[in-house]
Amino acid sequence: MLLQEGEKSSSDLLFFRLPFSVLQEGPASKRVKMKWHSYFLSILSAAAFANALIGHEQCVSFTSGANAGFPIVSGGNAAPIYISASDSPSVHRALKDFVSDIGKVSGKTPQIFNTTSFAGLKPKSKPIIVGTVAALKPILGNSTADTIQGLEGKWESYVGKVVKNPLPGVPEAYVLLGSDRRAVIYGLYELSEQSGVSPWYWWADVPIQKHSSIFASTCQHGSPSVKYRGIFINDEQPAIQSWAQEKFTNGTGQPFNHQFYEHLINQYMKEGAIRARPYESLFTMGMRGDGDLPLQADINIGILEDIVAHQRTTLSEVFNTTDLSTVPQVWTLYQEVQGYYEKGMKVPDDITLLWSDDNWGNIRRFPLESERNRKGGAGIYYHFDFVGGPRCHKWAQTTQLEKVYEQMGLAYARGADRIWIVNVGDIKPYEYATEFFINLGYNATRWNQNTIKDFVTTWATREFSQPSKSPIIADIIANATRFNARRKPEFWNATTYSLIDYRESENWLNEWSATLDASTAIYNSLSSAAKIAYFELVHHTVRSSSNLANIYVNAGRNNLYASQARISTNDLADLVEKLFEADYDIENQYHTMLDGKWNHMMDQTHIGYYYWQQPMANTMPA
């Protein structure tokens, strides 16, 4: 597995927009406007409010005044933006997104000046200067010397602030400096988000807020708590794979080809390492068996050690170095692989040990005190979505943020802070949980068990612009995920909750009914544009899960009443049929809105499991 930050053209990138990396089974897609960001990463192997990036300091305002800050847009004019032509292509790419975002918010798009020389600049208005320390240090004068000194050598750290006399002939500018290219990118997207563009504006159709004036004050962030933060798109059939096939191949070919991904993985490690050499990359070491299964039962640990040694020899040859601590590597201790390590497999000290959860959100093992001084450090591979025994769970949002905080907080406290990766399945419907995971990795001390609800209310305010209703939305989300986490929907059946003892099933349906009523009231109160985002991010999970709960309880009652020879038995059979049809209708609403933008994204079957693998089709309970 190879993680890679590419320097490709803007039209060829799978582009995300939060401070994290994108991990996928296969190379990265052509640009799908997945508006978040961190790394342009791909895995080349089989494997009316200004809202800061939630929890970050406010540095954008919309009202003029003595303390308003630097005018990005004011009086109908947008500030010009200067960037060095020699700066990273990824920074240029993010800057294009930033000016586009400002244009969407204000109706005024800043002009970019891609310059080879900053000498003799005479901007008509106060400019914005953007770039990495490496690109701007030779250009900017003593006015930024202290800022540059504070950033040099740091990892992904940025400062944006007003600077007096940054260049001859420029009395004042807003200078955004980053210690490296990702730092600048994060700073730009922070300003975009606070200006009114949600990271989910494309992926969840969140409406863009409108403001005629935008002002920026000092905006900064130091090195993230966790060095590498990423998501793993577990692109299984039938959802995202069918969606991709329709959107990127006209339904005629394999979805994960050159049209969907930046690269096609069909070469062995050496060819892949050669391709990766120009980029910042993480290489995954070791080997599992065919079909994501263990190697043969009697595998000799010595063989695995030889495999790793061979991989490292390949890396040494490709990178022409004997010091492989300069080539980041990771070994994922997933399922049976952890057993190899615990049975004594020797792992070179500069390889990061990526510990895993049990596929259900419980981290199996944290680094021991004796393991915390390894050069490679440690990290965590976590699951929101899972394919495997005893049963898959990949249909509904079942992740409780409280559990994520508890487990990842323990991981951070025990020194697992080099890499955090989360399996997000098809991306949807795990949007806000994914954002929380990445946000926590970016600043692990910002949140605690008493402030998690603050994250959700702030998130809801940013997405739906209804601050008075955000606490209600937070409660709806907390209830829905709690009900789904008690037992994941793929495990539900007609007798999961007792029909005769303690009113279990009755109380369960009452809980769902109250939550659905609250969610429906919010949905009906929103504008038509916000309704779409709310449906995708909140309401679909509530409606579909509540409906499924009613299917199973009423199917159980039907069987019970039949055994009691009740006349109402047939009425319950009719009700279950109606509810089963409603399950399709809810799914179809998701697939047909926005002219089918998300067609197939909720294709995941979820009714009628009888062993670990998903059923081929939803089947009404008998």
Side-chain angles (χ1 to χ4, degrees):
M1 186 186 296
L2 164 67
L3 293 92
Q4 177 181 73
E5 176 168 8
E7 287 275 2
K8 301 300 181 184
S9 69
S10 62
S11 61
D12 292 328
L13 293 173
L14 171 69
F15 216 62
F16 280 85
R17 196 175 213 178
L18 282 176
F20 77 115
S21 322
V22 177
L23 281 75
Q24 301 180 177
E25 284 189 359
S29 82
K30 74 178 191 180
R31 187 181 183 210
V32 192
K33 289 183 80 176
M34 297 179 178
K35 289 290 196 168
W36 295 342
H37 186 72
S38 155
Y39 310 115
F40 310 148
L41 280 182
S42 55
I43 291 184
L44 302 183
S45 82
F49 305 92
N51 292 295
L53 180 61
I54 297 176
H56 295 195
E57 293 183 5
Q58 195 70 45
C59 55
V60 170
S61 62
F62 307 113
T63 304
S64 61
N67 299 316
F70 182 89
I72 298 176
V73 177
S74 181
N77 297 308
I81 303 179
Y82 290 87
I83 184 172
S84 171
S86 65
D87 217 331
S88 166
S90 51
V91 173
H92 282 264
R93 163 59 194 280
L95 181 57
K96 290 179 182 178
D97 281 341
F98 173 71
V99 300
S100 175
D101 290 343
I102 296 300
K104 292 183 178 77
V105 170
S106 68
K108 302 296 180 181
T109 302
Q111 185 175 359
I112 297 174
F113 293 89
N114 184 5
T115 181
T116 57
S117 173
F118 283 75
L121 293 182
K122 296 186 181 299
K124 294 180 180 179
S125 58
K126 296 177 182 178
I128 299 171
I129 301 172
V130 172
T132 58
V133 165
L136 293 182
K137 182 179 180 180
I139 297 166
L140 297 175
N142 293 331
S143 58
T144 58
D146 290 343
T147 301
I148 288 174
Q149 185 177 3
L151 290 172
E152 282 187 304
K154 298 291 181 63
W155 181 266
E156 297 178 357
S157 301
Y158 67 85
V159 175
K161 65 179 183 179
V162 175
V163 175
K164 301 291 185 182
N165 301 310
L167 296 167
V170 180
E172 183 177 284
Y174 189 87
V175 179
L176 177 60
L177 272 168
S179 61
D180 51 41
R181 55 186 174 178
R182 287 183 298 278
V184 183
I185 292 167
Y186 300 158
L188 287 168
Y189 286 151
E190 176 70 12
L191 291 171
S192 277
E193 182 175 341
Q194 292 199 32
S195 296
V197 181
S198 167
W200 299 101
Y201 91 89
W202 192 87
W203 266 102
D205 304 292
V206 175
I208 291 173
Q209 299 171 24
K210 303 296 183 180
H211 303 284
S212 59
S213 298
I214 304 171
F215 300 91
S217 55
T218 299
C219 198
Q220 59 189 337
H221 199 286
S223 296
S225 301
V226 177
K227 187 171 185 178
Y228 299 103
R229 306 155 310 279
I231 68 171
F232 178 81
I233 303 173
N234 202 31
D235 38 26
E236 304 284 349
Q237 276 281 26
I240 198 172
Q241 195 173 86
S242 297
W243 173 79
Q245 188 168 21
E246 176 180 291
K247 303 304 178 186
F248 299 100
T249 70
N250 298 318
T252 60
Q254 291 298 316
F256 301 117
N257 57 19
H258 67 282
Q259 290 181 291
F260 186 70
Y261 282 130
E262 180 185 359
H263 304 284
L264 179 63
I265 177 58
N266 59 7
Q267 301 293 325
Y268 293 100
M269 184 171 182
K270 187 167 186 176
E271 285 81 0
I274 291 171
R275 288 196 304 272
R277 186 167 50 198
Y279 311 120
E280 295 180 57
S281 303
L282 284 169
F283 293 88
T284 62
M285 312 301 283
M287 179 179 291
R288 294 190 75 206
D290 185 37
D292 204 22
L293 295 172
L295 294 165
Q296 62 265 33
D298 59 347
I299 186 68
N300 187 318
I301 287 177
I303 294 176
L304 290 174
E305 291 175 344
D306 289 343
I307 290 170
V308 172
H310 175 75
Q311 292 171 328
R312 285 168 64 84
T313 297
T314 299
L315 292 176
S316 293
E317 293 173 353
V318 170
F319 286 89
N320 192 28
T321 182
T322 58
D323 181 11
L324 283 178
S325 66
T326 62
V327 182
Q329 305 150 72
V330 58
W331 189 38
T332 305
L333 303 175
Y334 180 64
Q335 292 193 341
E336 81 286 346
V337 181
Q338 180 178 324
Y340 303 146
Y341 176 76
E342 293 176 339
K343 289 177 181 178
M345 180 174 171
K346 295 181 176 60
V347 182
D349 192 62
D350 55 14
I351 294 180
T352 302
L353 298 179
L354 195 67
W355 301 94
S356 181
D357 68 339
D358 60 358
N359 302 316
W360 304 86
N362 306 293
I363 297 174
R364 298 170 67 191
R365 171 147 142 26
F366 299 105
L368 303 176
E369 188 172 355
S370 60
E371 297 166 331
R372 294 176 197 169
N373 292 322
R374 300 180 69 259
K375 287 183 181 179
I380 298 295
Y381 173 41
Y382 201 73
H383 285 79
F384 292 165
D385 173 284
F386 173 62
V387 177
R391 190 161 291 181
C392 302
H393 58 89
K394 52 179 183 168
W395 170 62
Q397 170 59 274
T398 64
T399 300
Q400 292 180 279
L401 300 191
E402 295 82 358
K403 181 64 171 285
V404 176
Y405 169 77
E406 176 207 41
Q407 292 293 297
M408 300 311 296
L410 285 170
Y412 184 74
R414 304 284 182 87
D417 58 3
R418 185 65 58 88
I419 306 171
W420 282 10
I421 303 299
V422 59
N423 186 321
V424 298
D426 300 315
I427 302 175
K428 305 172 79 67
Y430 304 114
E431 294 97 335
Y432 71 84
T434 299
E435 184 170 352
F436 179 76
F437 183 95
I438 297 302
N439 194 302
L440 187 63
Y442 198 53
N443 186 349
T445 61
R446 170 62 181 86
W447 306 104
N448 59 52
Q449 64 271 23
N450 299 316
T451 60
I452 292 173
K453 187 174 180 179
D454 295 342
F455 174 89
V456 184
T457 54
T458 306
W459 172 88
T461 296
R462 185 193 69 195
E463 307 305 57
F464 311 119
S465 300
Q466 298 284 336
S468 64
K469 297 173 182 176
S470 294
I472 301 172
I473 295 172
D475 287 339
I476 291 168
I477 290 172
N479 285 333
T481 52
R482 179 161 53 92
F483 304 157
N484 279 342
R486 285 173 181 164
R487 190 169 188 176
K488 295 184 185 294
E490 289 85 351
F491 283 83
W492 294 353
N493 59 45
T495 59
T496 298
Y497 289 86
S498 176
L499 299 168
I500 58 176
D501 293 325
Y502 311 107
R503 293 188 171 180
E504 274 191 2
S505 59
E506 182 180 342
N507 289 337
W508 188 45
L509 293 190
N510 287 340
E511 288 176 326
W512 272 119
S513 178
T515 303
L516 178 60
D517 287 347
S519 186
T520 301
I522 295 290
Y523 178 81
N524 290 337
S525 72
L526 297 173
S527 66
S528 57
K531 277 182 178 178
I532 293 172
Y534 185 78
F535 182 78
E536 293 179 44
L537 292 168
V538 181
H539 198 48
H540 175 267
T541 290
V542 175
R543 278 189 65 195
S544 58
S545 299
S546 175
N547 187 74
L548 183 61
N550 275 274
I551 287 175
Y552 280 121
V553 169
N554 284 290
R557 288 172 176 167
N558 171 259
N559 289 322
L560 176 63
Y561 288 10
S563 70
Q564 297 169 343
R566 295 199 192 189
I567 296 175
S568 57
T569 299
N570 289 340
D571 294 335
L572 286 169
D574 293 339
L575 176 58
V576 172
E577 286 187 15
K578 182 179 179 180
L579 293 168
F580 186 73
E581 291 298 323
D583 178 87
Y584 171 79
D585 293 338
I586 297 168
E587 176 185 315
N588 190 56
Q589 180 180 346
Y590 204 117
H591 291 164
T592 56
M593 63 186 183
L594 299 174
D595 297 322
K597 176 180 178 179
W598 299 115
N599 191 29
H600 296 297
M601 193 58 88
M602 289 297 143
D603 276 352
Q604 181 58 58
T605 53
H606 49 279
I607 308 176
Y609 271 82
Y610 64 92
Y611 78 125
W612 76 266
Q613 183 57 284
Q614 67 188 27
M616 295 305 296
N618 289 326
T619 306
M620 187 172 67

